Amino acid sequence: MLTPRDLVGQRSETVRRSNLSAIVRELHLRGPRSRSELVARTGLTRSAIRGLIGELSAAGLVGETRNEPDGAPGRPSPLVHPNPGGAMVLAFEVKVDSLAAALVGFGGRVQALRRVDRPRAHLSLDEIVADLVALAVPLLRRADPETLVAVGVAVAGIVRRADGLVRMAPNLGWRDEPLGLRLAEALDVDVPVLVANEADLGGLAEHRRGAAARVDDVVYVTGEVGVGGSITVGGQALVGSAGYAAEIGHMAVNPSGSRCGCGSSGCWETEIGERAILLRAGRDPHGGREGIDELVAAVLAGEPAALRAIEEVATWLGIGLATLVNIFNPALVVLGGVFERIHPVVGRTVERTLADRSLPAARELVRIVPGTLGENGPIIGAAELAFEELLHDPAARIRPRALAAAGA
Amino acid sequence: MLTPRDLVGQRSETVRRSNLSAIVRELHLRGPRSRSELVARTGLTRSAIRGLIGELSAAGLVGETRNEPDGAPGRPSPLVHPNPGGAMVLAFEVKVDSLAAALVGFGGRVQALRRVDRPRAHLSLDEIVADLVALAVPLLRRADPETLVAVGVAVAGIVRRADGLVRMAPNLGWRDEPLGLRLAEALDVDVPVLVANEADLGGLAEHRRGAAARVDDVVYVTGEVGVGGSITVGGQALVGSAGYAAEIGHMAVNPSGSRCGCGSSGCWETEIGERAILLRAGRDPHGGREGIDELVAAVLAGEPAALRAIEEVATWLGIGLATLVNIFNPALVVLGGVFERIHPVVGRTVERTLADRSLPAARELVRIVPGTLGENGPIIGAAELAFEELLHDPAARIRPRALAAAGA
């Protein structure tokens, strides 16, 4: 057992760091907060909050403004707001049909975002990295290099998080490509480059800033050509023993189904992926986003082939969701990507299928909603991944700058 | 931020409780430990360990014996062992074809276990509770009522943990039956009665004392008539938003499959449950455990119908496991219940199916093994559930007794 003296010596620095982290996280995720609210949220004393805010302010991470009087007696508590220019991240997205880069400031403000279409051809790693760097150059010019915290990348593939190796990305035509390392070299920045699966990051974004904010048990389903997802269990992302978890597009749902890009057959992706949706409706399977939007319009116009096709898709969507509801007992299912776009025309059939096929105890508690972040979900998630470097231990970053600011 | 003085005042009692919990948990789960090992495992000082062991010893929870010399210089460190009579739990199991009760001592020692067969008929809650109490009476006579910590119950159904309500148990013919409350009344004991699903508890038992000990990411699949499981994610059981998670027997694997007891069709249970296994082999679907053992013998004897049937079962088992491996990326899959018994004759086909159908990144890391606890897994898990009351906060229990022992 630690003696009281040990507690004071060993723990006070740990406590200071964890308190700084709590405040920085609160401001980043929830936005401006009065000092009183920070006292209430963190359980720290007013004087402790004052000291920590002073450190964060000296490091340029936060500013304070006089708050509006709220009718309570006494002076209004100053409003602490995150300073977007005080810490920045660069975020990228490598999708099957587009590439994007964004500069995002502390507090989650997107300062700039550039997206370019790309052909659905298999491009080499070097080509993609060159395109990403070209997208990023004008963004980096807008940021003080000192404030760059990390780089986050969302990619449509299975990723080894430790080093950003893309293990398998059938829809990009990649296998074991060192995206993280190559991008770090090409960008020539002195911060970590963190790569993760786009569905994982889309789910993270909805959990932090979208439809699933403040919900602890969430199933997020997304896709374009491939189908993926992200599962939040008790507030934490499900990662598995090596970071490969949540590949829900490859649940085996149909023993007589068609061949899947993963090598198996009858995966959920083969029934509800974008190509499967378009094929069912007798449309060009490579019609992409536009093809889907046209199909939704045809459904709304009452075209029989489109109605039949979307009904089948909705049923398969409901069958897979029944499995996920039975396994995870989530409070919320969020539909992202192509499923967010078709939600208006599949919602009722999905609900009915779920009612027929999932266990009442779990089903009674779940709501199914479309995502709220649209196609930028994954890149917002990539920025959040990059901000984790700051949120986890802000003291590690701000100490040198705070000391410099204090003239030490 | 807590000031140093706050740390000393507010936290030292919290720290003491959490240290006691760490020691009690270590001794309960890992068995006898020398004081030196406890110092190493907990990071506490020798004098702190001495003080805490003194408290636990005064409360009758631990004993100390002289340790064998281990060749290291100096006196050997005393060996601290859990005292099974110092804290006891009563555990029950309500299965489709048997009922059981056990008295289990601190450290996990099963002091006595009684199991009786029951017909596969639907019995009322009152009949089952009466049978359980009859099983327990001779066990309770062996225990000092003062030492009883809690009662744990494993049941083949979906359970609301908060109050032990069995929401749905199709194979027992129950719906919304208050098993926990009724059993507490009938036993007339002054301790909590905790009820949980038998598959959850079978998984807990394998995780604590069986094939999955010290593995953090585990999928446990079990069944007799119904198929269930338990998932360990980062060392914690997956419970979901209301405790209904891990109903893996009700994954939708076959859209043209047969009707399931849950109201859906084509659930995994309808393809690999005990009745399905026996039916495939042209045997009496109600043959139960004996029927399965006869089938395994027939397979080993090379009987063609038995071989064909078991090959189909193994393929369906592999298909469902592929989904679970893709979703959870576990380090280990443990087969319990009927799957533990058929493992010798299905293992190879399961592995091959998994190789064909799961994603290489996740599959390369997983091992599939039979459970090691046999039919007593769930009741051992029920005992572990009951012991959580002690492990979580031993101080709450031992304070009054320690004070009494100290003559206060």
Side-chain angles (χ1 to χ4, degrees):
Chain A
M1 183 163 57
L2 290 166
T3 65
R5 196 179 307 155
D6 291 337
L7 279 174
V8 177
Q10 277 179 238
R11 293 222 168 155
S12 67
E13 175 59 16
T14 313
V15 169
R16 173 184 159 271
R17 286 179 169 237
S18 110
N19 288 338
L20 272 173
S21 171
I23 293 173
V24 167
R25 195 174 286 275
E26 179 75 11
L27 292 172
H28 178 67
L29 295 178
R30 311 262 175 260
R33 282 287 175 270
S34 71
R35 286 195 186 176
S36 312
E37 286 169 314
L38 289 172
V39 165
R41 285 285 300 184
T42 59
L44 304 177
T45 64
R46 294 194 80 84
S47 72
I49 289 284
R50 185 165 47 235
L52 295 169
I53 296 297
E55 287 193 59
L56 295 172
S57 177
L61 273 176
V62 306
E64 285 193 281
T65 49
R66 190 169 303 178
N67 205 347
E68 298 298 311
D70 58 359
R75 272 190 309 166
S77 170
L79 196 66
V80 185
H81 54 81
N83 174 12
M88 300 261 199
V89 301
L90 191 59
F92 292 103
E93 182 174 2
V94 181
K95 269 186 140 142
V96 174
D97 54 11
S98 68
L99 297 177
L103 186 68
V104 181
F106 178 50
R109 176 98 53 88
V110 178
Q111 311 284 90
L113 189 150
R114 302 179 68 205
R115 182 179 294 278
V116 290
D117 285 347
R118 44 155 290 191
R120 286 194 174 183
H122 291 173
L123 297 178
S124 72
L125 178 62
D126 287 339
E127 291 170 299
I128 295 282
V129 166
D131 288 350
L132 293 177
V133 171
L135 276 173
V137 165
L139 302 183
L140 281 171
R141 267 192 226 116
R142 298 178 53 163
D144 172 0
E146 284 290 296
T147 64
L148 193 69
V149 171
V151 176
V153 188
V155 63
I158 296 176
V159 179
R160 186 167 71 197
R161 291 231 182 162
D163 60 358
L165 181 78
V166 180
R167 291 294 314 268
M168 187 167 104
N171 298 318
L172 298 172
W174 287 0
R175 214 184 164 91
D176 290 327
E177 295 285 0
L179 174 59
L181 295 175
R182 208 59 66 77
L183 187 59
E185 286 164 19
L187 283 170
D188 193 25
V189 290
D190 192 24
V191 295
V193 175
L194 307 164
V195 186
N197 173 270
E198 63 165 351
D200 289 352
L201 294 177
L204 176 65
E206 291 289 351
H207 182 54
R208 289 206 165 169
R209 302 192 178 277
R214 300 175 201 213
V215 184
D216 278 347
D217 294 281
V218 184
V219 168
Y220 171 74
V221 184
T222 189
E224 42 182 358
V225 176
V227 172
S230 152
I231 317 279
T232 306
V233 172
Q236 299 292 315
L238 175 72
V239 291
S241 64
Y244 302 134
E247 284 293 340
I248 58 179
H250 302 282
M251 299 194 292
V253 297
N254 187 358
S256 51
S258 48
R259 199 83 193 158
C260 180
C262 77
S264 182
S265 62
C267 293
W268 201 23
E269 176 171 313
T270 68
E271 301 294 345
I272 63 165
E274 189 183 280
R275 284 182 194 150
I277 296 174
L278 293 169
L279 270 178
R280 276 185 208 284
R283 288 160 185 261
D284 173 10
H286 304 290
R289 199 186 161 82
E290 271 174 43
I292 293 291
D293 290 343
E294 286 164 18
L295 174 62
V296 170
V299 171
L300 294 173
E303 192 188 293
L307 282 167
R308 270 195 310 275
I310 211 75
E311 197 64 14
E312 284 174 25
V313 169
T315 303
W316 279 110
L317 190 51
I319 288 174
L321 288 180
T323 291
L324 291 169
V325 165
N326 289 342
I327 292 181
F328 289 103
N329 178 25
L332 190 67
V333 171
V334 179
L335 300 179
V338 67
F339 309 111
E340 186 178 326
R341 296 209 298 288
I342 66 175
H343 180 263
V345 294
V346 298
R348 276 175 56 186
T349 301
V350 166
E351 297 272 1
R352 203 179 53 239
T353 309
L354 201 65
D356 289 346
R357 291 187 165 268
S358 58
L359 297 165
R363 179 179 71 238
E364 285 161 7
L365 300 165
V366 72
R367 286 182 309 124
I368 301 180
V369 300
T372 58
L373 299 175
E375 73 170 336
N376 289 327
I379 200 166
I380 291 171
E384 291 299 325
L385 177 68
F387 269 117
E388 267 305 310
E389 293 287 309
L390 176 70
L391 306 191
H392 179 65
D393 188 8
R397 275 190 58 80
I398 70 174
R399 175 51 71 78
R401 305 180 73 217
L403 288 175
Chain B
M1 183 163 56
L2 289 166
T3 65
R5 195 177 308 153
D6 290 336
L7 279 173
V8 177
Q10 278 182 237
R11 293 221 168 154
S12 66
E13 176 59 15
T14 313
V15 169
R16 173 185 160 269
R17 285 178 170 238
S18 110
N19 288 337
L20 272 174
S21 171
I23 294 173
V24 166
R25 195 174 285 275
E26 179 76 10
L27 293 171
H28 178 67
L29 295 178
R30 312 262 175 260
R33 283 286 175 271
S34 72
R35 284 195 187 176
S36 311
E37 286 169 313
L38 289 172
V39 166
R41 285 284 302 183
T42 58
L44 304 177
T45 63
R46 296 194 79 83
S47 71
I49 289 285
R50 185 165 48 236
L52 296 169
I53 296 297
E55 287 192 60
L56 295 172
S57 177
L61 272 178
V62 306
E64 284 194 280
T65 49
R66 190 171 302 179
N67 206 346
E68 298 298 312
D70 59 359
R75 273 189 307 163
S77 171
L79 195 67
V80 184
H81 53 81
N83 175 13
M88 301 261 200
V89 301
L90 191 60
F92 291 103
E93 183 175 0
V94 180
K95 270 185 140 139
V96 175
D97 54 11
S98 68
L99 297 176
L103 186 69
V104 180
F106 178 50
R109 177 97 55 87
V110 178
Q111 311 284 88
L113 190 151
R114 302 178 70 204
R115 185 178 290 279
V116 290
D117 285 347
R118 46 155 288 192
R120 287 195 172 182
H122 291 173
L123 298 178
S124 73
L125 177 63
D126 286 340
E127 289 169 300
I128 294 283
V129 165
D131 287 350
L132 292 176
V133 171
L135 275 172
V137 165
L139 303 183
L140 282 171
R141 266 192 227 113
R142 298 179 53 165
D144 172 0
E146 285 289 295
T147 65
L148 193 69
V149 170
V151 176
V153 187
V155 63
I158 296 176
V159 179
R160 186 167 72 196
R161 291 230 184 165
D163 60 357
L165 181 77
V166 179
R167 292 293 314 268
M168 188 167 102
N171 298 316
L172 298 173
W174 286 0
R175 213 183 166 91
D176 291 326
E177 295 284 0
L179 174 59
L181 295 175
R182 209 60 66 76
L183 187 59
E185 286 164 18
L187 283 171
D188 193 24
V189 289
D190 192 24
V191 295
V193 175
L194 308 164
V195 186
N197 173 270
E198 63 165 351
D200 289 351
L201 294 177
L204 176 66
E206 291 289 351
H207 182 55
R208 291 206 163 168
R209 305 192 176 276
R214 300 176 201 212
V215 183
D216 278 347
D217 294 281
V218 184
V219 169
Y220 172 72
V221 185
T222 189
E224 41 183 359
V225 175
V227 172
S230 151
I231 317 281
T232 307
V233 171
Q236 299 292 317
L238 175 73
V239 291
S241 64
Y244 303 134
E247 284 292 341
I248 58 180
H250 302 283
M251 298 193 295
V253 297
N254 188 358
S256 52
S258 46
R259 199 83 193 157
C260 180
C262 77
S264 183
S265 60
C267 292
W268 201 22
E269 176 171 313
T270 67
E271 300 294 345
I272 62 165
E274 190 183 280
R275 283 179 194 154
I277 296 175
L278 293 168
L279 271 178
R280 278 184 206 283
R283 288 159 185 262
D284 174 9
H286 304 291
R289 200 184 159 85
E290 272 174 42
I292 293 291
D293 291 344
E294 285 164 19
L295 174 62
V296 170
V299 171
L300 294 173
E303 192 189 292
L307 282 166
R308 268 197 310 277
I310 211 76
E311 196 65 12
E312 284 175 24
V313 170
T315 302
W316 278 110
L317 190 52
I319 287 173
L321 288 180
T323 290
L324 292 169
V325 165
N326 289 343
I327 293 181
F328 288 103
N329 178 24
L332 190 68
V333 171
V334 178
L335 300 179
V338 67
F339 309 111
E340 185 179 325
R341 297 209 299 288
I342 66 174
H343 180 263
V345 295
V346 298
R348 277 174 54 186
T349 301
V350 166
E351 297 272 0
R352 202 180 55 239
T353 307
L354 201 65
D356 289 346
R357 289 186 165 269
S358 57
L359 297 166
R363 179 179 71 238
E364 285 159 10
L365 299 165
V366 71
R367 287 182 307 124
I368 301 180
V369 300
T372 58
L373 298 175
E375 75 169 335
N376 288 328
I379 200 167
I380 291 171
E384 292 298 326
L385 176 68
F387 270 118
E388 268 304 310
E389 293 287 309
L390 175 71
L391 306 191
H392 179 66
D393 188 8
R397 277 190 56 80
I398 71 174
R399 176 50 70 80
R401 305 180 73 217
L403 289 176

